[in-house]
């Protein structure tokens, strides 16, 4: 939990560059997806790529970072740490 807060504090200056509320809202959504993927032990870049490629093909619930049926190659394994 402490690490999640630390990352938000480090990134907060970047949030100042959102030119309007719409941009800030989209930034917050992406930040939330990234942090949730990390919290669920996923490789963030690969998960985002998988998410974008499958958003129109797969039921949304099956794309959530905690879903058990996500491809194994999206998960961080102990030997990769």
């Amino acid at each position: 939990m402490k690490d999640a807060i630390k990352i938000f504090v480090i990134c907060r200056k970047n949030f100042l560059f959102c030119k309007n509320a719409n941009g800030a809202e989209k930034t917050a959504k992406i930040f939330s997806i990234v942090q949730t993927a990390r919290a669920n032990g996923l490789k963030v870049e690969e998960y985002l790529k998988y998410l974008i490629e499958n958003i129109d093909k797969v039921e949304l619930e099956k794309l959530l970072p905690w879903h058990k049926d996500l491809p194994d190659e999206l998960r961080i394994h102990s030997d990769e740490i």
Side-chain angles (χ1 to χ4, degrees):
M1 178 71 164
K2 185 178 180 182
D3 290 336
I5 294 170
K6 181 179 178 182
I7 291 170
F8 182 78
V9 171
I10 291 170
C11 293
R12 71 179 173 194
K13 288 188 178 182
N14 293 334
F15 300 148
L16 295 173
F17 293 102
C18 296
K19 297 191 182 234
N20 57 43
N22 190 27
E25 186 176 326
K26 288 179 182 181
T27 300
K29 287 177 182 178
I30 292 172
F31 186 76
S32 178
I33 291 169
V34 167
Q35 290 303 102
T36 306
R38 281 187 181 148
N40 283 279
L42 299 178
K43 300 172 187 172
V44 176
E45 289 96 8
E46 285 151 28
Y47 172 69
L48 290 173
K49 181 180 176 189
Y50 177 80
L51 183 65
I52 292 167
E53 289 173 350
N54 292 286
I55 196 84
D56 292 333
K57 301 174 190 169
V58 179
E59 183 181 337
L60 184 59
E61 185 174 315
K62 293 182 178 183
L63 295 173
L64 296 175
W66 52 82
H67 199 275
K68 62 181 172 56
D69 292 337
L70 284 175
D72 195 46
E73 62 265 9
L74 299 178
R75 302 190 188 285
I76 297 173
H77 301 285
S78 59
D79 60 338
E80 297 174 318
I81 299 176

